[in-house]
Amino acid sequence: MADRSKAEVVRRLFGVNLEQQGRGFYVALEMLAIARGVYLAHQENPQKYAGLLDDGDRVAYKRTSHDLARRIATKSSIAEGDEELGKAVELDSPETLETLHALFSSLLVDIPGRRRQPSWFGAHIYPFVGELIHYDAVDRKLHQRGTSPKKREQASKLTARIKAPSIERYLFRDGGGWAYKALRSDTNPDRKAATQQGLGDLVQDSGTPLGNLAKALSAHDFDYDEEPYEDDSERDIDLYEDLSPWPALLRNGVFNIVARATTPRAKRTENLMHWVPYCLARHQLHLARRRLGFIDGESILLDFGNEANPLRSESQNSLASFRNDIANAINIQAQEMINKSEGDEAKKRRYERFIKANGKAVASPQAFFSETLAAVGALNATAGRRHFTMKPSMLEALVSATIPQGTEMEFDQFCALLYRDYGLVAENKVAAEGPLAHEIDSSILVHNGKAFREKLTAINLLTQYSDATSMVRGEPR
């Protein structure tokens, strides 16, 4: 488990523990794992456990590790041995195990920037159907003497000192808990009910052949919850809605995404996987800049061109500046907490880690911002000279989150909405309204706007009519 005491400064500033390890898709994976677990707990005992997004003091959810499927996907050793594996997989036919490996390895979430194949617990299955959704886990030494019948049964399958799967937060770092709390605390009853229904459709059992196979394999996981896990970490999460618009933007975007009943389940899930982490990264930036005294929201130049130009340079500079804003805000927050520690030397030592400009304590939450945006496709690359853009999957998620189901919007109106709600600048008319008007030549922004139209057309979200009208819609026709 993460040492939460080390994250006091980060939690105080951003309302949630934001670390590099929990970046990118792990935010959405954790949110969906919580939602799936709540669904399972409520199905098991609706009188005792709250339903999806229901109010309550504490969230209780059933955690599925999918440790067997993930170990098969990565060809990791099965600590329990062939006898236990044979209860789930027909070992008389080696082709069965190879087929399962080929299937589940193809379903693993791609984490951009990885340099080597991860261990099984670093590999997560893409949540295309509810039965594939799972929680976090890691290898731990299991003492031969357990405190419960379950632990003793698990220990009996192992030789002494061998590591085996254990359900716990490892790569998940509360980002998904932040998102789930934001959805659960929605004060708009109609939107919340519709989100509840749409999200429930994604996390409930699909009954498909893939779902049935995943469910059958999960019955042979090494670690499992006998009773729903009662999670009290949400009480440490502050949404800071009075300081940031992003919890509200997250809710509205998630509602627009999950309410699209005619859009395939896999596409709605993919859009959530991109939209939810994006919102948290932008929330982090907004809070950092507020801490530094910036009242207005940040403007972000999206570069859709294919060559270097002043717009790209300005976008690159903005990214570097925003990363510095996050580091500086953490430094200021830490110094304030040191000043208020009133002689508590232990606290001072913890907080002092966050006032070192190049220290790991600051580098990790700073990297959460940029690496999350890179992972979901809101930056051009995971390393090197980077600038803001929108790759096809992220652009699809953005449009789906912004335009309500069954509606379309004229291109200029859509660009104005992106600037008003998200501070995104892609073409000249919007730039003329903001502080970027004198930074970039209008001809470059006109060219960038045309490239933006082409990107939307390529993913079938924009139609250009003969009267020069261009309409953007929330899902491909």
Side-chain angles (χ1 to χ4, degrees), residues 111 113-119 122:
I111 305 298
R114 269 185 177 158
R115 293 180 175 83
R116 62 174 184 265
Q117 175 71 25
S119 304

Side-chain angles (χ1 to χ4, degrees), residues 20 28 67 73 82 88 121 201 206 228 254 278 307 334 349 439 443 450:
Q20 179 179 7
D67 62 65
D82 287 348
F121 48 83
D201 182 49
S206 66
V254 169
Y278 180 79
E307 57 188 21
R349 284 193 295 272
E439 301 292 337
S443 63
K450 290 179 180 178

Side-chain angles (χ1 to χ4, degrees), residues 432-462:
E433 299 176 8
L436 298 170
H438 303 292
E439 301 292 337
I440 308 297
D441 187 271
S442 62
S443 63
I444 296 176
L445 286 160
V446 169
H447 181 75
N448 196 63
K450 290 179 180 178
F452 184 30
R453 289 174 189 263
E454 291 170 2
K455 295 285 186 183
L456 289 168
T457 303
I459 57 177
N460 201 22
L461 293 178
L462 181 141

Side-chain angles (χ1 to χ4, degrees), residues 255-455:
F255 159 68
N256 283 334
I257 290 169
V258 302
R260 298 182 189 279
T262 57
T263 300
R265 178 197 301 253
K267 178 55 66 177
R268 282 178 282 161
T269 299
E270 183 181 2
N271 287 338
L272 278 185
M273 288 282 287
H274 289 76
W275 177 247
V276 173
Y278 180 79
C279 288
L280 182 52
R282 290 294 308 274
H283 178 66
Q284 178 191 19
L285 174 62
H286 191 88
L287 290 174
R289 286 171 58 80
R290 284 296 297 263
R291 190 66 182 81
L292 295 175
F294 294 100
I295 303 302
D296 297 330
E298 54 279 356
S299 294
I300 292 179
L301 277 169
L302 298 180
D303 178 12
F304 290 102
N306 296 318
E307 57 188 21
N309 56 43
L311 186 152
R312 178 166 298 180
S313 297
E314 189 65 31
S315 186
Q316 290 169 342
N317 292 338
S318 293
L319 176 60
S321 177
F322 291 156
R323 280 173 51 85
N324 287 335
D325 288 342
I326 290 171
N328 291 335
I330 294 171
N331 297 156
I332 290 173
Q333 181 67 48
Q335 189 60 60
E336 180 182 286
M337 292 170 71
I338 288 172
N339 295 340
K340 293 181 178 179
S341 61
E342 298 180 350
D344 188 328
E345 294 303 320
K347 278 188 176 181
K348 282 186 176 181
R349 284 193 295 272
R350 288 204 300 269
Y351 301 156
E352 283 170 354
R353 300 166 62 251
F354 293 92
I355 60 174
K356 297 177 182 178
N358 298 316
K360 290 183 180 179
V362 173
S364 182
Q366 185 187 52
F368 174 88
F369 169 72
S370 51
E371 293 193 25
T372 291
L373 293 185
V376 300
L379 297 181
N380 64 306
T382 57
R385 288 288 284 166
R386 296 183 290 181
H387 58 264
F388 293 103
T389 187
M390 288 279 168
K391 293 183 179 179
S393 293
M394 184 64 228
L395 187 54
E396 264 191 89
L398 176 73
V399 176
S400 182
T402 304
I403 299 181
Q405 180 184 14
T407 65
E408 56 184 6
M409 190 177 295
E410 200 276 324
F411 177 75
D412 288 342
Q413 182 185 359
F414 176 65
C415 290
L417 185 61
L418 292 185
Y419 180 66
R420 187 197 73 190
D421 287 355
Y422 314 135
L424 299 177
V425 178
E427 50 87 54
N428 62 313
K429 293 179 183 177
V430 167
E433 299 176 8
L436 298 170
H438 303 292
E439 301 292 337
I440 308 297
D441 187 271
S442 62
S443 63
I444 296 176
L445 286 160
V446 169
H447 181 75
N448 196 63
K450 290 179 180 178
F452 184 30
R453 289 174 189 263
E454 291 170 2
K455 295 285 186 183

Side-chain angles (χ1 to χ4, degrees), residues 145-212:
R145 284 188 169 186
T147 57
S148 68
K150 171 198 168 185
K151 290 295 183 184
R152 287 194 292 271
E153 180 186 354
Q154 288 177 315
S156 68
K157 301 174 184 177
L158 305 176
T159 59
R161 308 179 74 83
I162 285 182
K163 291 183 177 180
S166 172
I167 298 178
E168 60 184 78
R169 273 195 183 91
Y170 178 65
L171 292 168
F172 292 175
R173 294 300 170 106
D174 286 341
W178 173 87
Y180 189 78
K181 182 174 183 176
L183 297 178
R184 201 163 77 98
S185 59
D186 193 351
T187 57
N188 182 326
D190 293 337
R191 181 176 62 191
K192 183 177 179 179
T195 301
Q196 192 173 38
Q197 181 177 344
L199 186 60
D201 182 49
L202 299 184
V203 303
Q204 69 184 357
D205 288 350
S206 66
T208 60
L210 177 59
N212 292 337

